[in-house]
Amino acid sequence: MDLRPDLIAWLRLEQTPGVGNETARRLLSRFGLPEQIFAASHTALCEVVSNKLASALLAIPADFQQQTDKTLAWQEQPDNQILTLADAGYPRSLLEIPDPPLMLYVKGRLALLEASTVAVVGSRNATVQGIRNAESFSEALSSAGLCISSGLAAGIDTAAHQGALRGPGSTIAVIGTGADIVYPARNRNLAHLIAEGGCIVSEYSLSTPALAPNFPRRNRIISGLARGVLVVEAAAQSGSLITARMAAEQGREVFAIPGSIHSPLSKGCHQLIRQGAKLVESAQDILEELQFQHVTSSIQPESLALTEPGVHGLLRQINFDPVHMDTLASSTGIDIASLTSELLNLELNGQLEALPGGYYRRLA
């Protein structure tokens, strides 16, 4: 299979040094398709861009043939596709956002890019409870027929993808590297599962490494593909708040799960709620807000569907807010050795979470 002639021109535009999305859209608006940009005179190009950039556009980018050959080899692999702004299959939802990607490299089920989608995002350093919430909310929403978009990062993103893959809605991973790179490496197996049952999307050319500025930028695609964004856990300065802000600017709904007033990872969610995000306690809250006609599912978010377990005296002394071991020893009268053993058993049973500094928090 050969690269479409028009696609070669799109790749050249993408790889021209100094041409970003905004400049590319100005050029496309003025001249039409990329082939017409490269057929224009230097004088005509200078009506839109600087003299230096006009000269760059008329020169073949360094290593262009090598990159084109690499792209051809990648596109020949099963389920790998490239979409440009001019393609009929380009996601309509992204055409609505202020800064749509020039090109999309898609690995997996292309049809998911037009599915009804909810983005699920949050902290990379999530708590056990946050991981459970992300996974169970995503599974419930996917089981109801919604696709879940996220960023393949550690923590909440990983849990969201894993939960979504267990439902028919599946998942979209929007990544900040080239589509031929998995980052972080620990998610390699998960990336393979997503490529088989969902899809992986990148706006970056092949072999683009993990560069810090690319990850906040890719967040606009995570939210842009979605009807709403759910923030599970986020610190006050979290990158997830960038996604939430972009979602609001794009006219998407913003949802947030509340948490303990003592948890740093709840502060971002509480901030969003104060700013007008919708507080949610179950996947059903999101489905109702979006007025999504869903398939009935018995799956509920784990932390919210549990009935009161058969707890004993020690567990009743521990709330969802952190409590120190010394406080527990004082309130229960249990000696430290026995208390440590009991706390460990409860933690192994998934009923407690051990926090730094000798604090514990109840999970169920």
Side-chain angles (χ1 to χ4, degrees), residues 142-160:
S142 178
S143 294
L146 283 166
C147 184
I148 302 299
S149 63
S150 198
L152 198 63
I156 296 300
D157 288 15
T158 294

Side-chain angles (χ1 to χ4, degrees), residues 124 151-154 175-177 181-188 191 210 215:
R124 286 175 169 81
L152 198 63
I175 61 176
T177 65
I181 293 175
V182 175
Y183 180 85
R186 74 181 78 167
N187 275 349
R188 186 171 302 279
F215 291 92

Side-chain angles (χ1 to χ4, degrees), residues 91-98 113 115 117-119 149 219-230 243-255 276-278 289-290:
R92 286 169 291 178
S93 59
L94 292 184
L95 292 174
E96 301 170 356
I97 69 176
L113 298 183
T117 299
V118 171
S149 63
N219 291 351
R220 79 192 193 288
I221 304 176
I222 296 175
S223 58
L225 288 168
R227 296 173 59 182
V229 173
L230 171 64
T243 311
R245 175 178 56 78
M246 290 178 172
E249 292 172 352
Q250 293 166 348
R252 276 48 170 171
E253 299 288 348
V254 179
F255 307 99
K278 295 174 176 63
E289 186 65 35
L290 296 178

Side-chain angles (χ1 to χ4, degrees), residues 24-339:
R25 287 196 303 274
R26 289 206 316 271
L27 289 163
L28 292 167
S29 177
R30 169 65 174 80
F31 296 103
L33 294 173
E35 298 99 312
Q36 295 165 307
I37 296 174
F38 297 119
S41 66
H42 188 278
T43 301
L45 289 172
C46 284
E47 295 175 2
V48 182
V49 297
S50 68
N51 178 70
K52 180 179 179 181
L53 194 49
S55 297
L57 284 163
L58 295 177
I60 301 296
D63 301 325
F64 177 65
Q65 188 60 52
Q66 180 182 353
Q67 186 69 20
T68 301
D69 291 343
K70 182 185 300 181
T71 304
L72 170 60
W74 182 86
Q75 189 181 237
E76 286 180 332
Q77 297 173 27
D79 298 321
N80 287 357
Q81 300 185 59
I82 301 173
L83 297 175
T84 74
L85 271 173
D87 288 330
Y90 190 94
R92 286 169 291 178
S93 59
L94 292 184
L95 292 174
E96 301 170 356
I97 69 176
D99 186 17
L102 187 66
M103 299 172 62
L104 292 174
Y105 297 77
V106 184
K107 187 177 187 67
R109 295 168 55 192
L110 186 66
L112 288 178
L113 298 183
E114 294 292 354
S116 289
T117 299
V118 171
V120 177
V121 298
S123 174
R124 286 175 169 81
N125 301 308
T127 66
V128 172
Q129 189 64 67
I131 294 293
R132 290 183 174 182
N133 284 342
E135 193 166 341
S136 54
F137 265 79
S138 297
E139 183 176 358
L141 293 170
S142 178
S143 294
L146 283 166
C147 184
I148 302 299
S149 63
S150 198
L152 198 63
I156 296 300
D157 288 15
T158 294
H161 291 307
Q162 290 171 333
L165 284 171
R166 291 200 287 268
S170 196
T171 190
I172 300 169
V174 183
I175 61 176
T177 65
D180 54 340
I181 293 175
V182 175
Y183 180 85
R186 74 181 78 167
N187 275 349
R188 186 171 302 279
N189 289 338
L190 176 59
H192 290 322
L193 291 174
I194 295 173
E196 291 173 3
C199 76
I200 296 174
V201 178
S202 174
E203 68 175 314
Y204 299 107
S205 58
L206 299 179
S207 301
T208 299
L211 303 173
N214 290 352
F215 291 92
R217 182 163 175 74
R218 67 88 152 87
N219 291 351
R220 79 192 193 288
I221 304 176
I222 296 175
S223 58
L225 288 168
R227 296 173 59 182
V229 173
L230 171 64
V231 182
V232 179
E233 279 187 336
Q237 303 299 323
S238 170
S240 301
L241 302 188
I242 298 175
T243 311
R245 175 178 56 78
M246 290 178 172
E249 292 172 352
Q250 293 166 348
R252 276 48 170 171
E253 299 288 348
V254 179
F255 307 99
I257 299 176
S260 167
I261 61 172
H262 302 290
S263 171
L265 292 178
S266 295
K267 293 190 180 300
C269 291
H270 294 170
Q271 176 181 326
L272 290 174
I273 292 169
R274 286 194 298 271
Q275 293 171 349
K278 295 174 176 63
L279 184 155
V280 295
E281 296 178 317
S282 70
Q284 186 64 31
D285 293 339
I286 297 172
L287 295 171
E288 290 176 356
E289 186 65 35
L290 296 178
Q291 298 181 336
F292 185 73
Q293 298 299 316
H294 62 284
V295 180
T296 302
S297 171
S298 60
I299 300 173
Q300 293 293 330
E302 183 175 350
S303 63
L304 305 172
L306 290 171
T307 56
E308 178 66 13
V311 297
H312 54 60
L314 175 59
L315 192 53
R316 287 195 183 97
Q317 299 293 321
I318 304 174
N319 207 328
F320 295 99
D321 289 341
V323 60
H324 198 272
M325 177 187 289
D326 292 344
T327 303
L328 291 173
S330 176
S331 62
T332 62
I334 303 175
D335 64 88
I336 290 295
S338 300
L339 179 61

